[in-house]
C-alpha cells in the first residue's frame, strides 16, 4: 500500500483547505484511513478517521465541527476538508491506513508522506 497526501499550503486564519490522500496497492476498501498531524516540537496527533465503507467517522475534539473526512472507494481517495482554520492547525499532515477491526482504529499500518499546512496572516 502506498499513500500520497497532497493539498497543503498557506492559508489565513478562518480560511479553508482541502487535503487529499490517494492510495495504490492493496484493495482500498479493505482498510480504514486516518489523518494525523505533527507541529514543530510536538508529538504527532490524531486528527480524524473514516471507516472502510465511509459510513463511520471519528474526530479529535480539537477539530470536531471544523474538519470533515470523507472517502471515495472508487477513486481510492480520502479527503480532509478543513474549515475555520486556526493558527494552531499549522502542522505537517499525514494520512495512514489501518487494517485492524477495531473502531476507531487503534493502530495504523501504512503511512504516506506529509503535506505542510500553514495557517498564518
Amino acid at each position: 500500500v502506498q499513500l500520497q497526501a497532497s493539498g497543503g499550503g498557506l492559508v489565513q486564519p478562518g480560511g479553508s483547505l482541502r487535503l487529499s490522500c490517494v492510495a495504490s496497492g492493496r484493495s482500498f476498501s479493505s482498510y480504514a484511513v486516518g489523518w494525523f498531524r505533527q507541529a514543530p516540537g510536538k508529538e504527532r496527533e490524531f486528527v480524524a478517521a473514516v471507516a472502510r465503507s465511509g459510513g463511520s467517522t471519528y474526530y479529535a475534539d480539537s477539530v470536531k465541527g471544523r474538519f470533515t473526512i470523507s472517502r471515495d472507494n472508487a477513486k481510492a481517495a480520502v479527503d480532509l476538508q478543513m474549515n475555520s482554520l486556526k493558527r494552531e492547525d499549522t502542522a505537517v499532515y499525514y494520512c495512514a491506513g489501518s487494517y485492524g477491526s477495531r473502531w476507531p482504529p487503534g493502530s495504523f499500518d501504512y503511512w504516506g508522506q506529509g503535506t505542510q499546512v500553514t495557517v498564518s496572516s
Side-chain angles (χ1 to χ4, degrees):
V1 173
Q2 291 186 328
L3 301 171
Q4 181 83 24
S6 63
L10 174 64
V11 62
Q12 293 186 343
S16 298
L17 209 56
R18 190 176 186 90
L19 305 183
S20 291
C21 176
V22 178
S24 60
R26 186 170 172 174
S27 175
F28 183 68
S29 60
S30 66
Y31 52 92
V33 176
W35 284 95
F36 291 76
R37 66 187 182 187
Q38 186 166 20
K42 295 187 177 181
E43 293 187 354
R44 185 174 61 196
E45 65 173 349
F46 169 81
V47 175
V50 60
R52 293 175 179 84
S53 67
S56 296
T57 56
Y58 184 72
Y59 298 92
D61 288 343
S62 59
V63 306
K64 203 173 294 183
R66 299 188 298 122
F67 291 10
T68 302
I69 189 171
S70 61
R71 69 187 293 161
D72 184 337
N73 285 346
K75 296 181 179 179
V78 170
D79 288 348
L80 184 68
Q81 177 67 41
M82 305 185 295
N83 299 328
S84 302
L85 283 162
K86 305 175 182 180
R87 287 182 173 83
E88 51 264 42
D89 294 318
T90 295
V92 177
Y93 283 70
Y94 301 88
C95 58
S98 173
Y99 285 107
S101 58
R102 176 181 169 183
W103 181 261
S107 63
F108 286 79
D109 308 286
Y110 296 97
W111 293 83
Q113 93 299 345
T115 184
Q116 175 71 47
V117 172
T118 302
V119 184
S120 176
S121 55

